[in-house]
Amino acid sequence: MFKKLSPYEKEWADMIKKEDKFLKARADKKDSIINRKLEKIVPAKLQDTIDEAFSKVFNLIFEKGTGFIEKTYSKERLMEKYSENDYASLSDHSGKRLRSFSKRAQASGTGNMLLSGAAGIGMGAAGVGIPDIPIFTAMLFKGIYEIALNYGYSYDNDRERNFILLIIQGAVSYGDNLSRINNEIDTFIRTGKFSSEINIEKQIKTTSALLSRELLYMKFLQGTPIVGAIGGVYDVIYMKNITDYANIKYKRRFLEKR
């Protein structure tokens, strides 16, 4: 009466379950009480300032920052571990090796989330808001890069950069916009093609606008000494959302390939 699922089918079902939960949680945007109170006092031009800050950091990372980020982890070791697990998983019928890919990727995301949170809270307590953006963004890319490597993917060409930017966009979007981005990502995973020609500069602007809109109030709050630590806590929340979504989409891509 009941068919026993293979290790692959179990991993696919786990990925779908987590993806559905993520999408349902972001079906509608719900502003917090803090956001509603801050809305009245946040300077009108602050979003443009944050938007520009994110754009500059994205460009800097893509132009010459990836090598610096790679100094914070062993790229070679992660690639070796992926190859080792990939080979062993082909003959492992228990599913232990197959499960190890997502476990290692999840551990990378959690570690970087905690580091980002510590930095954000510390800078927030000191009243540092916008200057925290380069640190937050660098830690974000570190987390995504490590997740990508754990699933056997690179990140140093425009095709992969476009994929990463779409992941960040999806993770900070809601409702129909999230659904559209999620479908775009899944189409690429299935076909290896995006719906339009890759334009990294345009994607950077779109991603920066979405991030600045989402983080506007928290970065404003983070610029106030002591209470700014609350804004720093949100670095953890957004880092978790983005790395969780990255883990889901890279896992789907990994499983689709197999």
Side-chain angles (χ1 to χ4, degrees), residues 3-143:
K3 177 187 175 184
K4 184 178 179 179
L5 296 178
S6 68
Y8 171 87
E9 289 171 326
K10 288 179 181 178
E11 285 298 286
W12 183 268
D14 176 71
M15 180 273 297
I16 292 296
K17 180 180 179 181
K18 288 178 179 176
E19 183 176 64
D20 286 346
K21 182 179 179 180
F22 185 92
L23 296 176
K24 287 177 182 177
R26 302 183 71 81
D28 297 296
K29 181 173 173 61
K30 303 177 182 67
D31 273 334
S32 67
I33 296 174
I34 294 176
N35 282 2
R36 290 198 292 271
K37 289 184 178 297
L38 291 175
E39 185 178 9
K40 300 174 183 178
I41 59 174
V42 172
K45 293 184 178 181
L46 182 61
Q47 183 164 346
D48 290 339
T49 302
I50 296 175
D51 189 343
E52 184 179 357
F54 273 119
S55 289
K56 286 181 177 178
V57 176
F58 280 137
N59 278 302
L60 182 61
I61 288 174
F62 286 155
E63 287 173 9
K64 49 188 176 183
T66 294
F68 175 78
I69 292 172
E70 287 178 341
K71 294 182 184 299
T72 64
Y73 58 86
S74 175
K75 180 180 180 180
E76 291 74 19
R77 178 57 185 155
L78 290 175
M79 292 172 67
E80 287 173 4
K81 193 63 180 178
Y82 164 78
S83 297
E84 177 188 319
N85 284 334
D86 190 41
Y87 179 77
S89 68
L90 297 177
S91 57
D92 175 27
H93 301 295
S94 70
K96 183 178 179 180
R97 285 286 189 170
L98 194 58
R99 291 192 297 273
S100 69
F101 293 98
S102 58
K103 285 183 178 180
R104 288 178 61 83
Q106 187 66 51
S108 292
T110 300
N112 287 299
M113 176 189 71
L114 294 175
L115 287 172
S116 176
I121 292 170
M123 295 184 79
V128 179
I130 293 176
D132 169 59
I133 288 175
I135 296 175
F136 171 80
T137 309
M139 292 301 302
L140 175 60
F141 272 86
K142 178 178 183 292

Side-chain angles (χ1 to χ4, degrees), residues 77-222:
R77 178 57 185 155
L78 290 175
M79 292 172 67
E80 287 173 4
K81 193 63 180 178
Y82 164 78
S83 297
E84 177 188 319
N85 284 334
D86 190 41
Y87 179 77
S89 68
L90 297 177
S91 57
D92 175 27
H93 301 295
S94 70
K96 183 178 179 180
R97 285 286 189 170
L98 194 58
R99 291 192 297 273
S100 69
F101 293 98
S102 58
K103 285 183 178 180
R104 288 178 61 83
Q106 187 66 51
S108 292
T110 300
N112 287 299
M113 176 189 71
L114 294 175
L115 287 172
S116 176
I121 292 170
M123 295 184 79
V128 179
I130 293 176
D132 169 59
I133 288 175
I135 296 175
F136 171 80
T137 309
M139 292 301 302
L140 175 60
F141 272 86
K142 178 178 183 292
I144 295 175
Y145 285 172
E146 290 183 29
I147 289 171
L149 290 171
N150 275 301
Y151 283 112
Y153 290 98
S154 65
Y155 43 72
D156 52 4
N157 58 64
D158 281 354
R159 187 167 175 264
E160 296 300 330
R161 289 170 186 142
N162 199 65
F163 184 71
I164 289 171
L165 290 170
L166 283 172
I167 285 174
I168 297 172
Q169 289 174 29
V172 296
S173 295
Y174 300 86
D176 291 341
N177 196 38
L178 170 56
S179 180
R180 178 188 60 78
I181 295 168
N182 192 64
N183 288 336
E184 170 77 4
I185 292 171
D186 287 351
T187 298
F188 170 74
I189 289 172
R190 286 193 308 270
T191 67
K193 298 178 181 178
F194 294 107
S195 61
S196 58
E197 186 177 348
I198 294 175
N199 185 329
I200 295 300
E201 190 59 39
K202 182 179 179 181
Q203 288 287 30
I204 284 175
K205 289 180 180 178
T206 300
T207 309
S208 298
L210 287 170
L211 275 169
S212 63
R213 181 200 65 192
E214 193 71 6
L215 293 170
L216 173 63
Y217 301 122
M218 290 306 106
K219 289 304 169 190
F220 172 77
L221 185 64
Q222 201 173 353

